[in-house]
């Protein structure tokens, strides 16, 4: 239900409805900066970091020129409204709020439940009762725990587990995946708990549950604890202590290092890359129980992948980051931002080549993965050279399919546990044989 | 919010601060602890509102000034022949974003500290209130069972 709701929300059906809103807005006297932000959000939601939300570049480009024009008109109107404001701005905004409240009062009485589909702007403008409804709870918790990102994290952990050179154990795999998922939910919830006023001010994150008051901070923390503690316990006791320790460390790194660092220094990006690299290491250690070179290589691949992915994403969000006070390379050191993205695209090629050396995959892996690695490096180079929105978007969207494809190719080229492959085997045959042996 | 409501109501995002204002419900028999919680939330709300309204306003103003000065340097007017507002592209704006971020860094660090303090205090008080309410409910149930 949740996924269908998300799809419908970002579907093309939304766009005509919002164009109607645009005309309304242009004629409205009280042109709120919020409507402007809302329009921008529709454009910016395509930048969602989640893997499963495949953005539609076509509809994006059709809408954006129109957006730009409307945004400018509204911005100008807003600016002219603001300049004659007296120093007593706080009371003014309060009266404004009270006026809006009076307008919405009648609407609020009839409308106090969340509309799952469409009417995003109407929902935004209404007063809502801050009471938790049990049927809303799953949806709210899913958004609180960033369930799609969690799913991506769990899949990278599963990839780590699958790549480990040990016989596959299903129960262990399920425990590790579930534990990692719980840990990720906990970390994401705490992150949202810390970032409420900042999330309110950024278009990408304006509709998170804590920002909208759909859940109280206390409940968010309790949820995080009730996910984190069992998750780590599951990993430590059900899998092995090393995985549990890595999970706990990752939660700590994400919530207590990365989240505050985002507003202090650009080093946050590197810390964030480590956070992304740990889940596959956790998967590997869950399978083998030890931290060997293969785990570190997988972690390294994911670490390098984070840079083109995030740097490209952050290129389009510079205004929001600047206003929100986030220290990101794209704002403060744009040259470095692009250099680092390119550097890590190239590093991916190198890391893929190291895989057969460490006996994780056959030599076919660097060969087969070369085209996609070269392609992302090419886009990385274009981003480095052109430094514009289109190249950043191309790089970002490429990174979304590049990673799953790379992991898939890696898995199919995995060196089998029981039989040593001859170097002269054809790629197809070796893959087939490897698959046969892997089936329980 | 309707007069008979017994819960807090949260409104649409504020024009300037983008924060959603909350109107707090004051129960007739509000305990001292609950009052402290409500006041903490109100204080945090006011402080956040002040900060972000001022900050966002400054951002918009400085952005306008930047665009104006850059356009002037280029010899262009704010509006071209068709009446459309002239803008700078993203790369030119990047200088402004970088500048604005570094200028406001200290302000943000201070705000961060304040926000984290508020957040933890409010959540802790919420926890206390929830605990007290739960104990009260349990005691009432015990009394009902005994009767």
């Amino acid at each position: 239900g949740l996924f269908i709701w998300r799809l419908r929300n970002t579907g093309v059906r939304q766009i005509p409805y919002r164009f109607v809103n645009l005309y309304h807005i242009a004629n409205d006297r009280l042109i709120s900066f919020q409507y402007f932000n809302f329009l921008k959000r529709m454009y910016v939601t395509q930048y969602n970091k989640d893997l499963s939300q495949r953005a539609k570049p076509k509809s994006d480009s059709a809408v954006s020129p129109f957006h730009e024009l409307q945004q400018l008109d509204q911005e100008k109107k807003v600016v002219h409204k603001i300049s004659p404001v007296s120093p007593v701005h706080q009371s003014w905004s309060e009266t404004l709020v009270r006026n809006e409240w009076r307008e919405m009062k009648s609407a609020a009485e009839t409308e106090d439940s969340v509309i799952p589909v469409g009417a995003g702007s109407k929902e935004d403008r209404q007063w809502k009762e801050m009471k938790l409804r049990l049927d809303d709870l799953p949806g709210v918790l899913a958004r609180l725990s960033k369930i799609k990102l969690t799913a991506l994290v769990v899949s990278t952990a599963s990839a780590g587990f699958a790549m480990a050179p040990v016989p596959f154990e299903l129960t262990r795999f399920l425990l590790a995946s579930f534990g990692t998922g719980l840990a990720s939910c906990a970390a994401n919830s705490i992150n949202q708990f810390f970032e409420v006023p900042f999330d309110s001010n950024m278009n990408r994150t304006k509709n998170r549950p804590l920002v909208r008051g759909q859940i109280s901070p206390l409940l968010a923390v309790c949820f995080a604890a009730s996910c984190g503690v069992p998750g780590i316990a599951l990993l430590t006791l059900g899998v092995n202590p090393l995985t549990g320790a890595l999970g706990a460390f990752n939660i700590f790194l994400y919530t207590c290092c990365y989240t505050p660092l985002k507003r202090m220094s650009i080093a946050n990006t590197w810390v964030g890359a480590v956070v992304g690299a740990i889940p596959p290491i956790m998967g590997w250690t869950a399978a083998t129980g030890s931290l060997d070179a293969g785990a570190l290589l997988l972690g390294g691949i994911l670490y390098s992948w984070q840079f083109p992915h995030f740097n490209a994403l952050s290129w389009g969000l510079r205004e929001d980051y600047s206003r929100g006070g986030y220290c990101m390379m794209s704002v403060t050191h744009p040259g470095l931002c692009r250099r680092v993205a390119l550097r890590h695209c190239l590093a991916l090629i190198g890391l893929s080549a190291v895989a057969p050396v460490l006996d994780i995959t056959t030599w076919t892996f660097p060969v087969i993965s070369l085209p996609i690695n070269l392609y992302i490096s090419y886009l990385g180079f274009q981003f480095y050279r052109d430094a514009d929105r289109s190249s950043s978007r191309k790089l970002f969207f490429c990174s979304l399919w590049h990673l799953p494809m790379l992991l898939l190719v890696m898995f199919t080229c995995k060196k089998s546990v029981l039989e040593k492959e001859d170097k002269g085997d054809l790629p197809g045959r070796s893959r087939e044989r490897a698959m046969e042996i892997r089936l329980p | 919010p309707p007069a008979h409501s017994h819960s807090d109501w949260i409104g649409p995002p504020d024009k300037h601060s983008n924060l959603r204002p909350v109107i707090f419900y004051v129960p007739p028999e509000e305990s001292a602890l609950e009052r402290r919680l409500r006041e903490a939330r109100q204080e945090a709300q006011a402080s956040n509102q002040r900060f972000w309204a001022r900050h966002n306003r400054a951002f918009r103003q400085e952005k306008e000034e930047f665009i104006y000065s850059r356009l002037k340097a280029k010899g262009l007017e704010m509006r071209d022949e068709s009446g459309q507002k002239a803008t700078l592209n993203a790369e030119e704006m990047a200088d402004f974003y970088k500048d604005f971020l570094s200028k406001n860094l200290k302000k943000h660090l201070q705000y961060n500290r304040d926000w984290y303090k508020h957040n933890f205090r409010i959540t802790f008080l919420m926890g206390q209130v929830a605990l007290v309410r739960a104990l009260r409910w349990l005691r009432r149930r015990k009394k009902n069972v005994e009767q």
Side-chain angles (χ1 to χ4, degrees), chain A residues 161-168 359-362 364-365 409-417 421 430-431 434 438:
Chain A
F161 192 95
M163 287 308 300
V166 289
F168 182 80
D359 258 359
I360 304 169
T361 65
T362 60
T364 55
F365 173 61
V409 171
M410 199 181 204
F411 183 64
T412 56
C413 295
K414 179 183 173 185
K415 207 158 212 172
S416 85
V417 177
E421 303 284 3
S430 67
R431 230 176 292 156
R438 255 195 306 279

Side-chain angles (χ1 to χ4, degrees), chain B residues 75-89:
Chain B
L76 297 167
E77 289 300 318
M78 280 297 278
R79 288 188 166 273
D80 59 22
E81 299 87 43
S82 60
Q84 284 296 350
K85 188 177 176 189
T87 50
L88 302 171
N89 66 30

Side-chain angles (χ1 to χ4, degrees), chain A residues 5 32 50 58 96 103-104 197 219 247 301 325 349 356 388 412 428:
Chain A
W5 174 71
S32 161
D50 298 334
K58 261 210 188 135
L96 208 72
E103 280 173 6
M104 310 304 170
L219 215 57
I301 287 181
I349 304 179
D388 60 359
T412 56

Side-chain angles (χ1 to χ4, degrees), chain A residues 77-296:
Chain A
K77 286 180 186 127
V78 167
V79 166
H80 284 314
K81 241 188 131 174
I82 286 169
S83 28
V85 151
S86 66
V88 195
H89 53 72
Q90 192 193 344
S91 55
W92 180 57
S93 64
E94 277 175 3
T95 36
L96 208 72
V97 163
R98 248 176 270 138
N99 285 334
E100 277 182 280
W101 167 62
R102 255 178 252 134
E103 280 173 6
M104 310 304 170
K105 190 175 157 189
S106 47
E109 276 170 25
T110 53
E111 179 62 60
D112 65 357
S113 62
V114 177
I115 309 169
V117 158
S121 60
K122 211 168 120 198
E123 193 182 304
D124 267 353
R125 276 187 273 158
Q126 288 175 346
W127 280 80
K128 292 255 161 58
E129 193 177 4
M130 280 177 96
K131 192 155 115 179
L132 188 65
R133 276 171 200 80
L134 248 62
D135 33 310
D136 288 342
L137 194 62
V140 167
L141 290 180
R143 266 173 292 150
L144 186 68
S145 60
K146 293 193 226 171
I147 197 93
K148 286 194 250 178
L149 182 63
T150 298
L152 177 61
V153 166
V154 169
S155 60
T156 55
S158 323
F161 192 95
M163 287 308 300
V166 289
F168 182 80
E169 285 174 56
L170 186 65
T171 45
R172 190 157 241 197
F173 174 73
L174 291 174
L175 286 174
S177 305
F178 192 54
T180 308
L182 286 176
S184 170
C185 288
N188 288 329
S189 307
I190 297 287
N191 170 267
Q192 290 199 17
F193 166 72
F194 282 153
E195 300 264 283
V196 178
F198 313 117
D199 283 345
S200 325
N201 271 281
M202 295 203 8
N203 288 298
R204 191 171 62 98
T205 52
K206 261 183 345 187
N207 288 307
R208 290 187 169 170
L210 280 169
V211 172
R212 288 168 117 183
Q214 290 172 316
I215 192 173
S216 77
L218 178 68
L219 215 57
V221 172
C222 290
F223 173 69
S226 63
C227 283
V229 172
I232 300 298
L234 193 66
L235 289 174
T236 315
L237 304 169
V239 181
N240 61 53
L242 179 61
T243 313
L246 280 172
F249 176 65
N250 213 19
I251 294 180
F252 166 74
L253 204 61
Y254 184 59
T255 57
C256 302
C257 299
Y258 172 69
T259 304
L261 256 173
K262 275 202 291 193
R263 311 179 57 77
M264 296 201 282
S265 124
I266 58 171
N268 68 73
T269 312
W270 282 266
V271 173
V274 174
V275 172
I278 289 185
I281 300 181
M282 281 169 68
W284 184 289
T285 57
T288 63
S290 65
L291 204 62
D292 22 48
L296 295 175

Side-chain angles (χ1 to χ4, degrees), chain A residues 333-351:
Chain A
H333 299 79
L336 178 70
C337 178
R338 300 187 325 266
R339 271 200 309 276
V340 164
L342 179 61
R343 214 185 289 163
H344 283 271
C345 288
L346 298 170
L348 281 171
I349 304 179
L351 286 168

